[in-house]
Amino acid sequence: MSAIYIAGIALCSVIAQWLAWTFRVPAILFLLLTGLLLGPATSYLKPDELLGDLLFPVVSLSVAVILFEGALTLHFRELKGIGKVVRNLCSIGMIATFAVISTSAYWLLDLDWRVAAVLGAVLVVTGPTVIAPLLNAMRPTEDIDRVLRWEGIVIDPIGALFAVLVFEAVMLVGTSGGVFSHTIGALVTTLSVGFSLGAAAGWITTQLIRREWLPYELHKFFILALVLISFTVSNHLSHESGLLAVTVFGIWLANQDDLEIDSVLEFKEDLSMILISTLFILLAARLELDDLLALDSQVFIFLAIVLFIARPLNILLSTYGSDLPLKSRLMLAWIAPRGIVAAAVGSVFALSMAEAGIFDANKMVPLIFTVIIVTVVLNSLTAVPLAKLLGVRQPAPSTILIIGANHVSRAIARGLQEQEIDVHLSDPAWENCKMARMDGLPCYYGNPQSEHAERYLPLTSLSKVIALSPNRHHNALGIQYFSHLLGENKVFSLRSSQNHAKANKDSATFLSRQILFGENGSYAKLSSLIAKGGKVSSTRLSEEFDWEKYQEMNSEAIPLFIIGAEKMVRIITIEMERPPEAGEKIVALQPPKMSVIKDAQQVPTTKNPQIPTAKSPT
């Protein structure tokens, strides 16, 4: 019977994630609803009975993996470039939030001071998995987008580490009989064990990978095993130091510049999604209706303090002396949804405190979930209207994302950049990314559809996505992802050859998007022209020199884009909606002999029947 329940939880997790993807909202909403329906509402799922004594180990180990994955994204070098505001949000602002929430929980809700302190520490953490969908819907101005996105990235591991330290401190105070010196000694021991084991695990992993003593196919498995071992050994040596150890382990690996761990990070992202989805349903199902109903009217005042005092004070202190406009500060003061990390970490702490016999420990999880529900729901419902009201929404997105940073993509991107069109490239091959950045082209290193890309790609400013990779698999995955995010009419791909399509059984949906640059728009053709010295250049049409005349005079060129008024870009496809008009520019890949000719009268006039002819306007 237990197997049926576990399989059912897995299925419900997938359904919840799919619903979140379909409705473009944070997955936490449907995961929470699923857990509440299966647990408190129907009593169908009872995690304590299902897992018994394994519940605490399963939750603890899952949280360890989640924190490790979050720590893998914290690069010290990136802290230098995120700006004073984000650094303040993750330091003095975080401390201010902790102080306000802890104090109000202690005095207003009459909680045990240890529970109040840990509750305040846990609730300083927002998270990119909740922030990213909100930002994609809001499309805020660049300053707001940058601050919120980076806060979510950095506060995840730093806030979790801070919560771990606060938890360890209060637990030691609670078990030391109030002896100050003993408490300090125990805290130092706990910190020493956690930092030492985490650093040791990081050093061992680094040496094994650098010296190639570990086969590539074992990297992911070994690191996962070492995370679990570090966590359990650290806890055995010093109570509750394991979370600190795995966080330090992740940060160590993240800051080894010459260490290739991208496959590990991708694996941990997938594993974290599985664990987070399952864990959140289990934790929500553990809630008791009596515990939720036991939260009296004072909790509404507590929520008001979290929303209207703690966060605004955080922003006030963090933005002091900055040049952020008032409207941006008001928007930042409202957006602070709590996420899955807060729920997972808080639940582990609550279980430990309950085992230690600390009064009010059972109130922590209901309070955390209440704050999560209120902040996520309110922020999701009000973010877009408030951004419109304050006038802090970006204008229509204008950046073109090019999947692939190969020589074809770079040539086309430079051509667009010369026309002052914003472009951004993406490629999983480091050499391609390095070449693009050397050309002054922004390039994301990795797969654009990954969770990691949500943190670093300018998703809120993307208007179109064109797939120019020679790898059809990368093209297909990219346009499938962005067709859902941006709309079917905003994604385009190069054509596969008929042989490739037949051999790989490419889907009709994928083939229908392969319409870039007309009949001649194949990767082989573009690559050949560029290799021979072809250049991307532009020509403005006029009443005398119209689209038909342009095709006659540029018979060997491959038209790529049409740039109209206010730099509006249309992509030339096999079936264009309307032909280019006078005053618009044609951006095309010109063969070598034509790339240096500026006078159209000097160009051969043989018409190429393969150049796409636009449909007549309807």
Side-chain angles (χ1 to χ4, degrees):
M1 182 62 87
S2 297
I4 295 177
Y5 280 100
I6 293 173
I9 293 172
L11 178 61
C12 290
S13 301
V14 173
I15 293 174
Q17 289 282 358
W18 177 79
L19 289 172
W21 174 81
T22 300
F23 293 101
R24 303 180 188 181
V25 298
I28 193 173
L29 289 174
F30 286 104
L31 292 171
L32 176 61
L33 180 61
T34 302
L36 293 176
L37 288 175
L38 294 177
T42 63
S43 297
Y44 176 77
L45 177 61
K46 298 180 180 180
D48 294 84
E49 295 181 7
L50 176 64
L51 298 176
D53 293 338
L54 289 176
L55 177 63
F56 182 71
V58 167
V59 173
S60 299
L61 292 172
S62 299
V63 171
V65 174
I66 293 168
L67 287 187
F68 174 76
E69 188 269 331
L72 280 176
T73 64
L74 184 59
H75 300 272
F76 290 139
R77 65 178 181 275
E78 293 175 348
L79 295 179
K80 299 177 183 178
I82 61 177
K84 178 182 176 182
V85 173
V86 178
R87 288 197 299 271
N88 289 343
L89 283 169
C90 301
S91 52
I92 59 174
M94 181 181 71
I95 300 297
T97 301
F98 162 70
V100 171
I101 295 178
S102 298
T103 303
S104 60
Y106 176 68
W107 289 107
L108 194 62
L109 302 179
D110 198 25
L111 295 178
D112 182 287
W113 73 270
R114 291 166 292 182
V115 175
V118 174
L119 178 66
V122 168
L123 290 178
V124 304
V125 181
T126 59
T129 56
V130 186
I131 290 290
L134 279 180
L135 293 177
N136 293 339
M138 285 168 56
R139 292 205 332 268
T141 52
E142 185 178 355
D143 53 357
I144 297 174
D145 183 272
R146 186 169 182 265
V147 168
L148 287 177
R149 198 176 294 275
W150 273 102
E151 180 195 11
I153 294 169
V154 179
I155 199 69
D156 199 4
I158 290 181
L161 178 58
F162 173 73
V164 170
L165 295 178
V166 171
F167 170 73
E168 291 172 353
V170 301
M171 289 295 287
L172 289 171
V173 170
T175 58
S176 63
V179 181
F180 181 77
S181 59
H182 178 75
T183 299
I184 295 299
L187 179 59
V188 170
T189 301
T190 299
L191 296 180
S192 299
V193 170
F195 275 103
S196 298
L197 279 180
W203 183 84
I204 291 171
T205 303
T206 301
Q207 295 303 313
L208 289 176
I209 294 178
R210 281 178 179 166
R211 298 175 185 271
E212 299 183 358
W213 290 346
L214 189 68
Y216 179 80
E217 60 269 18
L218 286 182
H219 285 185
K220 292 176 278 192
F221 188 19
F222 171 78
I223 291 178
L224 174 61
L226 196 54
V227 167
L228 301 180
I229 291 173
S230 302
F231 174 78
T232 52
V233 171
S234 184
N235 275 346
H236 178 73
L237 295 177
S238 182
H239 188 59
E240 299 300 345
S241 63
L243 293 178
L244 175 60
V246 298
T247 304
V248 172
F249 183 12
I251 293 174
W252 179 289
L253 292 183
N255 290 278
Q256 305 301 311
D257 293 334
D258 59 340
L259 202 65
E260 180 59 49
I261 58 170
D262 294 306
S263 61
V264 174
L265 181 58
E266 185 176 350
F267 168 67
K268 290 297 185 294
E269 285 181 353
D270 294 337
L271 183 60
S272 291
M273 174 181 286
I274 296 171
L275 292 177
I276 285 171
S277 302
T278 304
L279 192 61
F280 205 67
I281 290 176
L282 285 173
L283 295 177
R286 288 191 74 248
L287 293 174
E288 298 288 346
L289 285 176
D290 293 339
D291 292 337
L292 293 172
L293 296 175
L295 300 175
D296 55 24
S297 58
Q298 295 293 94
V299 77
F300 294 106
I301 302 177
F302 173 73
L303 289 171
I305 291 174
V306 172
L307 291 169
F308 301 110
I309 296 180
R311 179 63 176 182
L313 177 62
N314 183 339
I315 298 300
L316 179 65
L317 294 174
S318 300
T319 60
Y320 179 77
S322 73
D323 56 357
L324 279 176
L326 178 60
K327 291 181 178 181
S328 296
R329 300 186 194 202
L330 291 174
M331 195 75 220
L332 292 172
W334 177 241
I335 304 297
R338 273 56 175 189
I340 293 173
V341 171
V345 175
S347 297
V348 171
F349 293 165
L351 288 170
S352 295
M353 297 177 88
E355 286 185 352
I358 296 178
F359 188 68
D360 290 336
N362 64 317
K363 295 182 180 179
M364 184 187 298
V365 174
L367 283 170
I368 291 173
F369 273 84
T370 301
V371 172
I372 289 173
I373 294 170
V374 171
T375 55
V376 172
V377 171
L378 282 181
N379 287 171
S380 298
L381 293 177
T382 61
V384 174
L386 183 60
K388 290 180 179 178
L389 179 65
L390 294 175
V392 293
R393 266 197 126 190
Q394 287 186 16
S398 59
T399 300
I400 296 177
L401 175 65
I402 300 177
I403 297 176
N406 49 75
H407 68 292
V408 172
S409 302
R410 296 195 300 270
I412 292 175
R414 286 193 298 268
L416 287 171
Q417 205 174 57
E418 289 173 359
Q419 304 303 317
E420 299 182 346
I421 303 299
D422 294 330
V423 292
H424 206 106
L425 283 72
S426 171
D427 202 297
W430 171 244
E431 285 301 319
N432 287 341
C433 274
K434 184 172 71 172
M435 294 295 292
R437 293 173 184 176
M438 289 174 64
D439 287 347
L441 299 168
C443 184
Y444 169 74
Y445 171 47
N447 293 315
Q449 66 274 8
S450 67
E451 180 182 341
H452 184 265
E454 289 186 0
R455 307 172 183 177
Y456 294 95
L457 274 177
L459 297 182
T460 57
S461 62
L462 297 184
S463 62
K464 296 177 179 65
V465 176
I466 59 176
L468 300 180
S469 170
N471 187 315
R472 297 182 315 285
H473 179 67
H474 290 164
N475 290 343
L477 290 178
I479 63 174
Q480 180 184 22
Y481 174 79
F482 286 103
S483 65
H484 174 77
L485 192 64
L486 304 179
E488 192 66 42
N489 61 337
K490 302 293 181 64
V491 297
F492 310 87
S493 177
L494 286 173
R495 291 186 303 117
S496 298
S497 67
Q498 292 185 357
N499 290 335
H500 283 155
K502 292 177 181 177
N504 292 278
K505 298 181 179 179
D506 291 337
S507 68
T509 305
F510 176 45
L511 293 174
S512 68
R513 296 158 173 161
Q514 297 183 355
I515 55 178
L516 277 178
F517 312 146
E519 297 295 335
N520 277 348
S522 67
Y523 183 85
K525 179 66 174 178
L526 296 170
S527 178
S528 175
L529 280 178
I530 292 172
K532 293 175 182 177
K535 302 292 183 182
V536 176
S537 60
S538 66
T539 304
R540 186 180 297 276
L541 299 183
S542 63
E543 294 293 344
E544 296 78 19
F545 189 67
D546 59 10
W547 174 235
E548 293 294 332
K549 189 70 173 176
Y550 175 89
Q551 289 181 292
E552 293 177 4
M553 304 293 290
N554 295 270
S555 59
E556 298 181 21
I558 300 180
L560 306 174
F561 306 98
I562 303 168
I563 301 180
E566 299 181 356
K567 299 177 185 176
M568 294 297 294
V569 178
R570 286 195 291 139
I571 297 175
I572 292 180
T573 61
I574 293 176
E575 295 183 352
M576 292 190 299
E577 294 180 357
R578 61 180 177 84
E581 299 173 349
E584 295 182 326
K585 286 184 179 179
I586 305 298
V587 177
L589 176 58
Q590 301 281 4
K593 63 180 179 180
M594 300 176 66
S595 60
V596 296
I597 298 175
K598 302 299 182 182
D599 186 356
Q601 300 299 325
Q602 300 176 18
V603 182
T605 59
T606 304
K607 185 173 180 179
N608 186 347
Q610 291 184 327
I611 297 295
T613 303
K615 290 182 176 180
S616 300
T618 54

